[in-house]
Each structure stands twice: as structure tokens, then as C-alpha cells.
Amino acid sequence: MTNWIRSYKSTISPDGLGPLQLAWLGDAVWEMHQRLRFCSSPMRSKDLHNAVVSEVNATSQANAIARIEPYLTDLEKDFLRRGRNKAGKGPKNVDAATYAIATGFETIVGWLFLKNPKRLAYLFDLLDQPIT
């Protein structure tokens, strides 16, 4: 399900982008990945929407980073920290710490999408595996 990421060739360098710009991009990439995961499921549109929303909310993103953090390089962990430190309070329905972790996740996703799509695809493949 990650071939679309592996084949991406960026013409934009992430080096000049700030953590929140990378997080904004990462949010879109993560949602696209989730939509592609669910699009072949025989569900009604509303159910597809709800399935994707349950995967792209801050709590799910914080859970995702917890699963892949042991696999992150020091540089990726640095981007996690940068994104986490730039996050605001977030929405009222999620605590600030969870929102900050989710912003860090999105920052890594955005940075890797532009810098190393194959690495991002590898991490997404890890997340797509069942939890044991």
C-alpha cells in the first residue's frame, strides 16, 4: 500500500521548511495513506470517512509514533522533538501532550516524504502490520 510513496520524487527540499510546514504536509500524506488503505473496502462513504478519521486523529498519531519510535534514527527523533516543541495547545478534545506528539509524528512524515520517501514507506509498512 506504500508504493505511491516509494515512487515519489520530490522537487522540493525540506531543509528550508519549518516544523509546522512539515507537519502540515505530513498530515496530508498520512491522511492520503489512510484513505488508500480503506478505499478498496466495501463500505459506505460515511463509514469510509469514519474509518479514516479514526486513524488520522491526534491520539492515533501519538500511538503510531510510539510504535515506530524504536526504529527512528537520531535525526528523525530530532524532527520529532522539533515538531513536538512547536505544537500549540491543539483542539479542546485532546490534551496538549498528545497533540504535541501527533504534531511531531506529522513533522517526521512531512520531512521524510520530501527527503527519503522509501524510508517513510518502510515506517508506514511497519505501522500497517498487525500489533502483536
Side-chain angles (χ1 to χ4, degrees), residues 118-130:
K118 289 180 180 153
R119 172 72 176 152
L120 178 62
Y122 168 75
L123 293 173
F124 278 7
D125 287 342
L126 289 174
L127 290 171
D128 288 345
Q129 293 174 5

Side-chain angles (χ1 to χ4, degrees), residues 1-2 4-5 8 24-40 52-53 55-56 61 105 109 113 120 124 128:
M1 194 53 59
T2 56
W4 71 279
I5 297 170
Y8 179 72
W24 178 76
L25 175 63
D27 180 61
V29 171
W30 180 242
E31 182 163 349
M32 175 65 81
H33 177 68
Q34 295 304 323
R35 284 176 177 252
L36 289 170
R37 281 185 59 222
F38 285 101
C39 73
S40 61
V52 169
V53 166
E55 296 294 328
V56 300
Q61 290 177 344
F105 172 75
V109 171
F113 183 70
L120 178 62
F124 278 7
D128 288 345

Side-chain angles (χ1 to χ4, degrees), residues 27 30 52-65 89-91 93-106:
D27 180 61
W30 180 242
V52 169
V53 166
S54 74
E55 296 294 328
V56 300
N57 64 47
T59 302
S60 293
Q61 290 177 344
N63 291 337
I65 201 65
K89 288 193 233 177
N93 64 338
V94 65
D95 66 278
T98 300
Y99 185 76
I101 293 167
T103 302
F105 172 75
E106 292 170 343

Side-chain angles (χ1 to χ4, degrees), residues 68-114:
I68 62 170
E69 194 164 10
Y71 302 95
L72 296 180
T73 66
D74 288 341
L75 184 57
E76 291 163 350
K77 288 177 183 177
D78 186 50
F79 276 91
L80 172 64
R81 180 191 54 77
R82 290 183 202 180
R84 207 176 47 224
N85 290 346
K86 284 289 185 178
K89 288 193 233 177
K92 293 178 183 178
N93 64 338
V94 65
D95 66 278
T98 300
Y99 185 76
I101 293 167
T103 302
F105 172 75
E106 292 170 343
T107 302
I108 292 171
V109 171
W111 182 73
L112 283 173
F113 183 70
L114 297 176

